Amino acid sequence: QVQLVESGGGLVQAGDSLRLSCAASGRAFSSYGMGWFRQAPGKEREIVAAISRGGGNTYYSDSVKGRFTISRDNAKNTVDLQMNRLKPEDTAVYYCARGGDRYLDIPQLEESEYDYWGQGTQVTVSS
C-alpha cells in the first residue's frame, strides 16, 4: 500500500515563495515517476510538474515554467515542489501523485497515468 502525504501549503502574498513536500510510504519509490497537480475552485485538476524516477527528466506546465522546480530525494522517499514568484492564479489545492508505470525514465503527463494520490494541500496566494 502506498501513501502520499503532502505538506507545506499555506497563505502567502504574491511574489512570495513556498515549498511543498510529499512523503511517500511503501517500497520501490525510486522506480516510479512522480507528479504535482493542482485544482483551483471551479476548474479541472491540471498537471503542474512531473519528474522521472531518477530525477533526470522533468516537465513543467507553461504557467509555472521558470518559477517552480520539482525535485526528489529517493533516499528519503520525498518529492518537493519549490514555488517562487507566486501569483494569485497559483491558488489551488496541490496534490502529489505517483506514476503508474514502473521503470519509466520520462515524466508522465496525463492524470490517468497516476495511480496513487495524496490528500492535497491548500496554497492560497493573495494579491
Side-chain angles (χ1 to χ4, degrees):
Q1 184 70 13
V2 175
Q3 288 189 322
L4 303 174
V5 180
E6 302 99 336
S7 61
L11 172 63
V12 296
Q13 293 187 331
D16 285 352
S17 297
L18 209 55
R19 188 176 185 91
L20 304 183
S21 187
C22 173
S25 66
R27 298 180 177 181
F29 175 78
S30 62
S31 296
Y32 296 90
M34 298 293 294
W36 282 96
F37 292 74
R38 69 185 180 187
Q39 187 167 22
K43 294 188 177 181
E44 293 187 352
R45 188 155 57 185
E46 62 174 356
I47 189 168
V48 174
I51 189 166
S52 59
R53 62 189 180 104
N57 293 298
T58 56
Y59 165 83
Y60 299 95
S61 67
D62 288 342
S63 60
V64 307
K65 197 174 296 181
R67 299 188 297 123
F68 290 13
T69 302
I70 188 171
S71 61
R72 65 187 296 161
D73 186 335
N74 286 341
K76 296 181 178 179
N77 282 18
T78 58
V79 57
D80 291 350
L81 185 68
Q82 176 67 41
M83 304 185 295
N84 297 329
R85 303 197 305 278
L86 282 160
K87 305 175 180 179
E89 49 264 43
D90 294 319
T91 294
V93 178
Y94 284 72
Y95 301 88
C96 74
R98 193 193 79 169
D101 292 313
R102 200 168 181 176
Y103 301 130
L104 273 184
D105 287 321
I106 57 174
Q108 293 178 274
L109 306 185
E110 299 298 325
E111 183 175 340
S112 60
E113 296 178 295
Y114 288 78
D115 56 1
Y116 288 97
W117 294 79
Q119 82 288 351
T121 185
Q122 176 71 47
V123 172
T124 304
V125 184
S126 64
S127 58

